[in-house]
Amino acid sequence: NPIRDCQACDKCKRDGCHFTDDVCNAFIEKAKEADGYIFASPVYYAHPSGRILSLLDRAFYSSGSFFSYKPCASVAVARRGGTSTTFDVLNKYATISNMFIIGSSYWNNVFGARKGEAKMDNEGLQTMRNLANNMAYILKCMEKGKEQGVEKPEREHSEHLNFIR
């Protein structure tokens, strides 16, 4: 079944997402327990796939608190163009949710159009290895911090600006 788009109806904030495609609701259940995230998307038309955008829109809109103060990395895979846009769009979910973005030695991109071609992108693969090492390091640091009683930062509650007055 296709993943439905978020309609910002707010029903999810009372009863959970009312769409029955199960993908988003299952993802949210796993998100509650996850220590960190890597969001990845193929690039078909110069931006992330619609499926991942629908999933992340619904998950972050309905359950953004499950993602807060956790590390996140974004990865884009393309034949040629659109990786920077994809990387930027996926990172925006992290920046609006008090997440910690994990970087690497270059933008988290790998290039390849057909099965097996990404394995030939040596720089992209090196970037992914460095990303994995950085994510593992941060997760270990967070675990040690938790053991030492380091508290999460206190968050100010949002002031919502209304441009129409």
Side-chain angles (χ1 to χ4, degrees):
N1 291 339
I3 300 172
R4 304 261 321 255
D5 292 339
C6 181
Q7 297 173 343
C9 66
D10 280 339
K11 289 180 183 175
C12 61
K13 302 216 172 147
R14 293 185 303 275
D15 307 315
C17 185
H18 68 283
F19 292 136
T20 58
D21 57 41
D22 293 332
V23 173
C24 187
N25 293 329
F27 174 67
I28 290 167
E29 284 303 310
K30 290 181 184 280
K32 291 177 184 178
E33 303 301 321
D35 294 323
Y37 306 89
I38 297 177
F39 300 128
S41 178
V43 178
Y44 296 123
Y45 199 68
H47 58 77
S49 81
R51 290 182 306 273
I52 195 167
L53 294 179
S54 293
L55 173 71
L56 294 178
D57 282 354
R58 284 177 47 203
F60 278 80
Y61 187 83
S62 68
S63 306
S65 64
F66 298 141
F67 300 93
S68 294
Y69 306 109
K70 295 181 180 180
C72 176
S74 300
V75 174
V77 181
R79 178 183 69 86
R80 199 162 65 195
T83 55
S84 294
T85 302
T86 299
F87 185 63
D88 178 55
V89 169
L90 294 177
N91 282 333
K92 283 186 169 70
Y93 291 96
T95 61
I96 199 169
S97 299
N98 291 296
M99 297 179 82
F100 309 115
I101 296 177
I102 307 303
S104 185
S105 50
Y106 195 70
W107 295 302
N108 303 336
N109 306 323
V110 176
F111 293 94
R114 291 176 187 74
K115 186 176 180 176
E117 286 183 350
K119 291 179 183 176
M120 296 183 287
D121 180 3
N122 291 330
E123 183 182 16
L125 294 176
Q126 178 185 51
T127 301
M128 294 303 113
R129 287 189 299 273
N130 289 332
L131 175 62
N133 289 334
N134 291 346
M135 177 66 84
Y137 173 76
I138 292 299
L139 287 167
K140 289 174 189 173
C141 288
M142 291 177 76
E143 186 61 33
K144 290 289 184 192
K146 211 182 297 182
E147 290 171 11
Q148 298 295 316
V150 176
E151 305 262 335
K152 292 178 184 173
E154 189 173 319
R155 179 178 172 249
E156 283 189 41
H157 290 284
S158 301
E159 293 283 332
H160 293 285
L161 175 63
N162 185 345
F163 289 102
I164 301 170
R165 298 187 186 234

